[in-house]
Amino acid sequence: MKAVTWQGRRDMQVMEVPDPVIEQPTDVIIDVTSTGLCGSDLHLYDPLTPFMAPGDIVGHEPMGIVREVGSAVSTLEVGDRIVVPFNISCGSCWMCSRGLFSQCETTQNTDQGTGASLLGYSKLYGSVPGGQAEALRVQFADTLPIKVPHGPPDDRFLFLSDVLPTAWQAVEYADLQQGDTLVVLGAGPIGDMAGRIATSRGLRVVVVDQVPERLGRVSAYGAEVIDMSDVDDVAERVRELTDGRGADGVIDAVGMEAHGSPKAELAQKAVALLPKKLQEKAMLTVGSERLAALYSAIDSVRRGGTVSVSGVYGGAADPLPMFQLFDKQIQLRMGQANVRKWSDDILALLLKDEDVLGVETFATQHLPLEDAPEAYRSFRDKEDGMVKVVFTP
Ligand SMILES: NC(=O)c1ccc[n+]([C@@H]2O[C@H](COP(=O)([O-])OP(=O)(O)OC[C@H]3O[C@@H](n4cnc5c(N)ncnc54)[C@H](O)[C@@H]3O)[C@@H](O)[C@H]2O)c1
Ligand SMILES: [Zn+2]
Ligand SMILES: [Zn+2]
């Protein structure tokens, strides 16, 4: 089959690889019909390269049709249509039974000190073959995949794999009441979707970015926008919009590749020059000055408010403004999305006739898998109005 493989820094290639096979009686194999490209894939494209090996299959937002069923699977049959969550959780361990699916103890990577394995996400998260491929092995088939009806187009359900539950969790963690003001940093797919969810719950939403077409998308559903290239200080602008107080909640949907931090880019380039073993260590321990968005969130939130981080961060030695966090009594919540904790509630919304969150028009490009190398580059450079790419193998 064909799959998108990592071959080196900023080098994704579509290669012919062996088809996946049933390895456990609880597995199924799917023919992938749609598979998303995510901001998280960009971390593998560049900063997280020390954890990748040439040939790794990437991608973690797939859906498809069951082609083969393991002998112990009782709830799925050949021909069923399923969406696969990006984090691989067993559904029955101590963590899963508490709704902390992204910390699943069955798939945790204790050797790397990380949480549940993720599809297609480097040796930090289990080196599991990913979903930007023509076919995929799906583990824990009775509990992990989300079964969806035939009929509506793939895009109605595809974003259950990651974007929807991540954005949903970000809004839940911000812990706001109707009428409260939520600031969303970043208008990529995650920030955009978080804004849609929050708007549908009656929150006042202000989205910050600097890419014109991304800001255009969020104002189309009624969010207010701050173009960060137009203001000197985002937090100051937020206070102007909120009686001087700051936002009740702030979602950081940016993560470690924030703009506004030239030093960070330098640090990343410096790490890339180290030998591979040292690179791995440096990525996890060296301060990286990549916290521009998080600092902006801490500054923009009101006293007693909540900062909800869905952007991915690495590094361990970046200084955090502890005094400001403590003095402003800020609640800080974060983590990989616990997809299965939210997916039933989201699916109920997606099954309505009306496309409440606009998922069917959410993707900006549908491309064949062969176009992946070029798509990664354009997505990283935010060209061609590219916000959400869906590959159709
Ligand atoms: N927690 C999870 O489970 C989870 C799941 C999916 C994605 N993510 C992470 O969420 C983040 C966003 O994902 P995405 O797909 O939307 O990515 P993206 O790269 O498409 O979007 C990020 C946006 O942030 C904007 N931005 C950059 N610096 C900014 C700043 N200082 N202030 C405001 N905006 C700024 C960029 O212009 C861009 O539009 C990434 O870090 C991704 O890895 C986390
Ligand atoms: Zn993703
Ligand atoms: Zn588990």
Side-chain angles (χ1 to χ4, degrees), residues 36-41 59-61 86 121 161-163 166 190 336 388:
L37 171 58
C38 179
S40 294
D41 294 321
H60 59 264
E61 304 188 347
F86 76 97
Y121 216 74
S161 55
D162 181 345
V163 174
T166 298
I190 303 300
Q336 300 278 10
K388 189 68 189 179

Side-chain angles (χ1 to χ4, degrees), residues 85 87 89 99 101 142-147 165 337-344:
N87 42 39
S89 53
F101 295 94
D142 277 329
T143 47
L144 176 63
I146 304 158
K147 192 171 163 181
N338 300 305
V339 175
R340 273 315 228 150
K341 181 170 170 70
W342 318 109
S343 53
D344 290 350

Side-chain angles (χ1 to χ4, degrees), residues 90-93 96 104-106:
C90 74
S92 53
C93 71
C96 284
C104 173
E105 288 181 338
T106 310

Side-chain angles (χ1 to χ4, degrees), residues 170 172-176 182 247-252 294 297-310 320-334:
E172 290 285 338
Y173 280 8
D175 196 21
L176 300 177
L182 172 69
D248 301 298
V250 179
I251 290 174
D252 170 354
L294 184 61
I298 293 167
D299 201 6
S300 301
V301 75
R302 69 159 162 78
R303 291 179 177 275
T306 305
V307 172
S308 166
V309 182
S310 52
L320 266 180
M322 281 310 294
F323 176 71
Q324 199 183 11
L325 279 167
F326 180 84
D327 181 65
K328 286 180 75 175
Q329 203 173 328
I330 290 169
Q331 341 263 327
L332 189 54
R333 306 182 73 185
M334 64 184 100

Side-chain angles (χ1 to χ4, degrees), residues 240-254:
E240 282 166 21
L241 293 171
T242 51
D243 298 328
R245 210 169 273 132
D248 301 298
V250 179
I251 290 174
D252 170 354
V254 180

